[in-house]
């Protein structure tokens, strides 16, 4: 994963750790993972990539999504 992915992952994990209630965690989950969330926005960027870049990009986004799902 590139530095950009690691920074995003670290920021979201820090936000999860700072959440004081389950409601805050649920709001963060919606902001990150749901249809209009940060991860979905990353997936939308795949349309602009060259076919050879899409595979690695998609793999990185999926790894990020799986890690975050486990944390939530």
């Amino acid at each position: 994963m590139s530095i950009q992915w690691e920074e995003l992952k670290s920021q979201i994990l820090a936000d999860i750790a700072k959440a004081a209630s389950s409601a805050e965690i649920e709001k963060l989950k919606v902001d990150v993972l749901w249809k209009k969330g940060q991860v979905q926005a990353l997936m939308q960027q795949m349309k602009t990539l060259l076919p050879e870049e899409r595979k690695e990009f998609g793999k990185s986004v999926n790894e990020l999504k799986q890690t975050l799902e486990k944390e939530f």
Side-chain angles (χ1 to χ4, degrees):
M1 242 188 268
S2 71
I3 294 173
Q4 176 188 8
W5 298 107
E6 289 300 324
E7 289 175 4
L8 178 61
K9 180 175 138 184
S10 295
Q11 178 60 46
I12 294 169
L13 293 176
D15 291 344
I16 293 170
K18 289 189 289 187
S21 68
S22 60
E24 287 180 22
I25 291 175
E26 190 62 31
K27 181 183 179 333
L28 185 60
K29 184 177 181 179
V30 169
D31 292 342
V32 172
L33 295 176
W34 285 23
K35 274 190 173 184
K36 297 193 185 232
Q38 294 172 337
V39 173
Q40 186 62 30
L42 290 172
M43 294 298 280
Q44 293 298 319
Q45 291 179 9
M46 283 182 53
K47 295 176 187 177
T48 64
L49 299 175
L50 297 172
E52 43 295 336
E53 295 173 327
R54 287 182 189 160
K55 183 177 180 180
E56 188 62 37
F57 187 86
K59 181 180 175 185
S60 295
V61 172
N62 283 329
E63 288 174 2
L64 175 64
K65 183 177 178 182
Q66 288 173 356
T67 299
L68 295 174
E69 285 174 340
K70 286 178 187 176
E71 288 299 315
F72 284 115

